[in-house]
Amino acid sequence: MVTRFYDQEKSYEDWCKENVNGYVFNYAGGKTGNVLHTVGCRHLTVPSRIGTYTTRYPKFCSTDITLLSIKADEVSNPYSWRRCKACFK
Ligand SMILES: [Zn+2]
């Protein structure tokens, strides 16, 4: 299952707490790009951004990286996303 969070900060934070081994696809587009992270990545816990993580663009979350990769392919146009270098090693 893939869950989409957009302007649902509390739900997103709860999901991350309940799925510490999960994955988060950040559908930012533009210059920032679309990036797949693991829950707990330092990019997802920047203090100045806590509370606004889902307000600017949606996040797709899943515990299944295959499903989340398929979703990333679906929503990114065209297939323009990457894995974060900080949390995927
Ligand atoms: Zn990351």
Side-chain angles (χ1 to χ4, degrees):
M1 192 178 88
V2 175
T3 309
R4 178 181 183 270
F5 296 102
Y6 186 44
D7 207 8
Q8 293 165 286
E9 207 62 22
K10 177 79 168 70
S11 303
Y12 166 70
E13 286 176 9
D14 287 346
W15 190 92
C16 289
K17 280 177 200 157
E18 287 160 17
N19 299 279
V20 290
N21 296 315
Y23 303 92
V24 175
F25 176 60
N26 205 14
Y27 183 50
K31 285 179 187 169
T32 314
N34 306 315
V35 186
L36 183 63
H37 296 276
T38 59
V39 169
C41 175
R42 61 185 166 84
H43 292 137
L44 300 175
T45 53
V46 178
S48 62
R49 291 197 190 151
I50 287 174
T52 63
Y53 267 110
T54 66
T55 59
R56 289 169 301 158
Y57 30 74
K59 283 181 166 49
F60 295 87
C61 301
S62 183
T63 54
D64 185 327
I65 194 165
T66 304
L67 280 181
L68 193 55
S69 298
I70 291 168
K71 177 58 77 179
D73 281 339
E74 267 175 34
V75 298
S76 306
N77 188 16
Y79 300 91
S80 53
W81 60 276
R82 61 189 167 83
R83 289 184 179 195
C84 171
K85 287 189 181 119
C87 59
F88 279 100
K89 285 173 183 159

